[in-house]
């Protein structure tokens, strides 16, 4: 009898130890794969072969052009232009408000040409005033201002008719001795071809990520070149400047278009190579990341820059390997620590079970530990880039906290023979509350996860265009809940109404999100699957009726 007990203890120790090493190996292997750098045909940015031009806006931190009282300090602009002069021959501006009227003077000091933008809209009086200032700047800096861009996407925004636009272009053109153009997306140039009669060259925007059917990043450069050729054919005899093109480094997927550092670098490299081969000019969008745009365009709106918006450093210096996770070693190490912690909790609670822990439970522990170990670094990276404003940071912070604590608390419950508590056992009448501290903490973590999941699900249903997919942190939290709900069974009792309602909502949200986003969007597919997983765990909840 003693030998059998000793033998079961030996086997019981060897099994989790083997699973621990397997989990650690999987985490390390996956992070090595995630961080694998890419080799590109040419460096995205190379000081030895400067860019033709790049869009520039000086706003940092909380600065925004929507603040009419903001005047950006000339010293701040001068710092940026000194860095841009190292990698570009020219900058494109969009406005002469907020202190941007100083750009031509400052650009001349570092040898940069300027495509001077005039931001026009519905206010005709202000349009005329801005046009007058632009004309004066051209005359004051004749060797610096290479062209005037009268309006940017004003037809796309519906703020002006084509005839009114042509009128203001005609009012500017005779007063300057530099080329005059207008900038808009390529589809609107093809729709309003008459505008080309009043400009010296056509400035067309090609942003493949934002198209109605966006191409994959690997196909985006070829797609832009194909669309450019359509515009060239539509306007024979006119030069076609690619006035905006680029790719975001962070943010949500759209169909098969993935925002990432590698994809941004790849797109820049491939467009530059096509421009060299086919002899066309490109202005990249944009010089610096602009955090303020995230309020209106979501995470993806703030990460189109070639330079980091905070540290103002080049994202892809020549000769440096390009990876989606430049800090992968730290991210992997944090995941390995979490994995060890989950197994440590399981081993610590072994004494609480009157019988040996089943193999299925150890497999569930390994699943939670491995999932958390892989996704902890991804979740932290997403929190840093996707959190905006106090509310955004709170939601992301609570979600990440739940993602870290869920595998630890679920493992404790799983190996000590407890079940997933219902909401009523945590928040209900005093007689029905669970007396166990760890069960209460687990229930609170489940409630937090559920509420945040509901908020993200409703956002993806009613305001999907700007919303990120919370697949990483949700997966870390939901997988342990799901294994606990199904392996430790359910208590006898009734299915709580609240859990049933949430389960139904997640089921509907999963179907809607997947079909709305398309089957090429793996972030949407993953998020939908996690909603279903969380819904099924909630559906298993039971609680004893309280009089």
């Amino acid at each position: 009898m003693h030998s059998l007990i000793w033998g079961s203890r030996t086997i019981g120790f060897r099994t989790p130890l083997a699973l621990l090493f397997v989990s650690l190996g999987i985490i390390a292997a996956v992070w090595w794969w995630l961080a694998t750098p890419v080799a590109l045909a040419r460096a995205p940015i190379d000081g030895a072969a400067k860019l033709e031009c790049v869009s520039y806006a000086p706003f940092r931190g909380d600065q925004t052009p929507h603040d009419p009282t903001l005047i950006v300090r000339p010293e701040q602009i001068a710092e940026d232009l000194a860095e841009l002069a190292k990698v570009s021959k020219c900058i494109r501006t969009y406005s002469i408000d907020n202190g941007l009227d100083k750009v031509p003077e400052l650009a001349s000091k570092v040898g940069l040409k300027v495509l001077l933008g005039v931001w026009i809209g519905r206010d005709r009086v202000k349009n005329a005033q801005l046009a007058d200032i632009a004309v004066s700047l051209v005359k004051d800096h004749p060797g610096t201002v290479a062209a005037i861009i009268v309006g940017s996407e004003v037809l796309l925004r519906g703020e002006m008719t084509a005839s009114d636009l042509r009128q203001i272009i005609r009012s500017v053109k005779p007063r300057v001795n530099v080329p005059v153009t207008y900038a808009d997306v390529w589809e609107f140039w093809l729709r309003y071809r008459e505008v080309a009669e009043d400009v010296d060259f056509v400035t067309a925007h090609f942003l493949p990520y934002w198209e109605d059917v966006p191409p994959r990043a690997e196909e985006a450069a070829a797609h832009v070149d194909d669309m450019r050729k359509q515009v060239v054919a539509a306007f024979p005899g006119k030069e076609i400047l690619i006035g905006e093109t680029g790719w975001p480094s962070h943010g949500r997927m759209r169909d098969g278009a993935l925002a990432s550092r590698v994809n941004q670098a790849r797109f820049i490299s491939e467009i530059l190579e096509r421009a060299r081969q086919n002899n066309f000019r490109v202005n990249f969008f944009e010089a610096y990341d602009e955090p303020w745009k995230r309020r209106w365009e979501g995470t993806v709106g703030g990460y189109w820059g070639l330079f980091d918006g905070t540290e103002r450093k080049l994202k892809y210096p020549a000769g440096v390997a390009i990876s989606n996770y430049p800090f992968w070693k730290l991210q992997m190490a944090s995941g390995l620590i979490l994995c060890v912690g989950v197994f440590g909790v399981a081993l610590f609670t072994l004494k609480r079970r009157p019988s040996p822990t089943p193999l299925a439970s150890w497999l569930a522990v390994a699943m939670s530990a491995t999932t958390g170990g892989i996704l902890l670094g991804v979740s932290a990276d997403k929190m840093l880039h996707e959190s905006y404003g106090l509310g955004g940071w709170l939601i992301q912070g609570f979600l990440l906290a739940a993602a870290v604590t869920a595998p630890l608390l679920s493992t404790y419950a799983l190996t000590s023979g407890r079940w997933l508590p219902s909401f009523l056992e945590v928040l209900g009448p005093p007689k029905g509350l669970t007396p166990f501290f760890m069960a209460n903490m687990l229930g609170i973590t489940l409630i937090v996860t559920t509420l945040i999941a509901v908020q993200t699900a409703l956002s993806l249903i009613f305001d999907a265009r700007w919303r990120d997919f919370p697949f990483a942190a949700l997966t870390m939290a939901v997988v342990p809940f799901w294994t606990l709900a199904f392996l430790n069974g359910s208590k006898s009792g009734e299915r709580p109404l609240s859990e049933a309602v949430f389960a139904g909502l997640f089921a509907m949200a999963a179907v809607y999100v997947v079909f709305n986003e398309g089957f090429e969007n793996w972030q949407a597919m993953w998020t939908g699957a996690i909603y279903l997983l969380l819904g099924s765990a909630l559906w298993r909840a039971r609680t004893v009726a309280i009089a």
Side-chain angles (χ1 to χ4, degrees):
M1 181 66 177
H2 290 291
S3 62
L4 289 175
I5 296 174
W6 175 257
S8 67
R9 287 179 178 174
T10 304
I11 294 172
F13 178 75
R14 288 177 178 175
T15 299
L17 190 62
L19 289 173
L20 170 62
F21 284 116
V22 169
S23 295
L24 294 174
I26 292 174
I27 294 168
V30 171
W31 269 107
W32 177 84
W33 171 70
L34 288 173
T36 301
V38 296
L40 301 175
R42 58 170 293 165
I45 309 296
D46 188 350
K50 290 187 177 182
L51 302 175
E52 190 68 32
C53 204
V54 62
S55 292
Y56 171 66
F59 308 107
R60 303 182 186 181
D62 295 330
Q63 295 176 342
T64 165
H66 295 284
D67 178 4
T69 65
L70 172 67
I71 302 296
V72 180
R73 295 183 302 107
E75 294 81 7
Q76 179 176 315
I77 297 174
E79 289 176 6
D80 290 342
L81 298 188
E83 291 300 313
L84 292 177
K86 299 175 183 178
V87 299
S88 182
K89 305 173 188 175
C90 155
I91 57 169
R92 173 189 170 182
T93 61
Y94 292 79
S95 169
I96 48 182
D97 290 332
N98 304 113
L100 281 162
D101 56 320
K102 300 296 182 183
V103 167
E105 176 187 351
L106 298 171
S108 66
K109 296 179 180 180
V110 292
L112 282 168
K113 299 293 185 183
V114 178
L115 301 181
L116 187 66
V118 184
W119 190 266
I120 57 176
R122 292 187 174 91
D123 189 337
R124 294 192 177 191
V125 174
K126 185 173 182 180
N127 292 344
Q129 293 173 345
L130 294 175
D132 291 341
I133 296 173
V135 169
S136 299
L137 290 173
V138 171
K139 294 178 179 178
D140 293 341
H141 306 282
T144 300
V145 179
I148 291 184
I149 303 177
V150 181
S152 179
E153 298 184 354
V154 69
L155 296 177
L156 172 66
R157 296 193 303 274
E159 295 179 352
M160 188 176 288
T161 64
S163 59
D164 288 342
L165 173 62
R166 296 180 69 184
Q167 183 179 351
I168 191 170
I169 293 173
R170 289 172 187 163
S171 73
V172 172
K173 194 171 179 181
R175 301 160 61 191
V176 294
N177 57 358
V178 297
V180 177
T181 184
Y182 165 69
D184 214 323
V185 296
W186 64 272
E187 296 98 328
F188 274 70
W189 273 109
L190 298 181
R191 185 180 302 180
Y192 299 100
R193 301 189 183 200
E194 65 272 21
V195 177
E197 298 174 12
D198 299 303
V199 298
D200 294 299
F201 61 92
V202 171
T203 301
H205 296 171
F206 301 85
L207 296 170
Y209 174 88
W210 281 125
E211 294 200 6
D212 292 337
V213 183
R216 298 172 64 87
E218 297 83 352
E219 304 159 358
H223 173 80
V224 168
D225 201 14
D226 289 342
M227 299 303 102
R228 179 191 67 85
K229 290 173 182 176
Q230 287 188 30
V231 179
V232 168
F235 303 104
K238 292 278 187 182
E239 181 194 0
I240 310 300
L241 168 68
I242 294 184
E244 281 186 3
T245 196
W247 196 269
S249 59
H250 296 282
R252 75 184 322 272
M253 283 187 77
R254 297 189 69 243
D255 289 350
L258 174 64
S260 74
R261 287 171 48 86
V262 166
N263 284 343
Q264 184 183 52
R266 176 189 288 116
F267 177 80
I268 295 169
S269 175
E270 292 178 356
I271 280 290
L272 287 173
E273 186 60 24
R274 285 179 177 270
R276 184 188 66 81
Q277 293 176 358
N278 299 320
N279 195 30
F280 59 84
R281 292 195 298 153
V282 179
N283 173 75
F284 278 103
F285 182 82
E286 59 186 330
Y288 292 93
D289 287 340
E290 296 191 77
W292 66 271
K293 288 185 176 180
R294 296 164 59 194
R295 180 176 177 182
W296 286 272
E297 300 178 13
T299 297
V300 73
Y303 294 103
W304 289 74
L306 308 180
F307 286 75
D308 174 78
T310 303
E311 297 183 357
R312 319 301 277 184
K313 292 182 180 179
L314 197 61
K315 289 182 181 177
Y316 316 109
V320 177
I322 300 168
S323 168
N324 283 332
Y325 298 99
F327 304 105
W328 70 275
K329 292 181 180 178
L330 177 61
Q331 291 167 298
M332 179 184 69
S334 63
L336 294 174
I337 292 172
L338 177 61
C339 177
V340 172
V342 172
F343 273 92
V345 169
L347 291 170
F348 176 77
T349 55
L350 276 179
K351 296 179 180 179
R352 296 180 177 272
R353 288 189 69 98
S355 59
T357 303
L359 178 61
S361 295
W362 280 116
L363 292 174
V365 170
M367 183 185 301
S368 298
T370 306
T371 302
I374 292 171
L375 295 178
L376 176 58
V378 178
S379 301
D381 184 77
K382 285 173 66 65
M383 183 185 74
L384 291 174
H385 290 101
E386 295 177 3
S387 301
Y388 184 78
L390 178 61
W393 278 103
L394 286 175
I395 291 174
Q396 293 280 357
F398 278 122
L399 180 57
L400 184 59
V404 172
T405 56
L408 298 171
L409 293 172
S410 295
T411 295
Y412 180 89
L414 186 68
T415 53
S416 59
R418 301 194 180 279
W419 51 79
L420 190 65
S422 67
F423 297 165
L424 200 59
E425 290 175 294
V426 179
L427 303 176
K431 290 184 179 180
L433 297 180
T434 174
F436 302 106
F437 173 78
M438 297 298 284
N440 271 301
M441 295 302 297
L442 179 61
I444 291 172
T445 304
L446 175 61
I447 292 170
V448 169
T449 302
T450 302
L451 292 177
I452 294 176
V454 168
Q455 184 265 335
T456 61
L458 294 177
S459 297
L460 288 170
I461 292 173
F462 295 106
D463 189 24
R465 182 176 175 84
W466 315 118
R467 300 297 179 173
D468 300 303
F469 298 99
F471 59 90
L474 270 185
T475 302
M476 288 179 64
V478 170
V479 167
F481 293 146
W482 183 83
T483 57
L484 177 61
F486 277 81
L487 285 181
N488 275 17
S490 58
K491 308 177 293 297
S492 60
E494 299 178 355
R495 177 177 290 113
L497 178 60
S498 56
E499 277 90 337
V501 170
F502 284 131
L505 187 150
F506 288 133
M508 291 186 291
V511 173
Y512 178 86
V513 168
V514 169
F515 279 93
N516 184 56
E517 298 290 343
F519 292 98
E520 283 192 274
N521 189 331
W522 61 259
Q523 291 185 350
M525 298 277 286
W526 186 338
T527 303
I530 294 303
Y531 286 152
L532 288 176
L533 213 63
L534 178 55
S536 65
L538 294 175
W539 187 255
R540 296 273 294 176
R542 296 291 187 276
T543 188
V544 178
I546 304 298

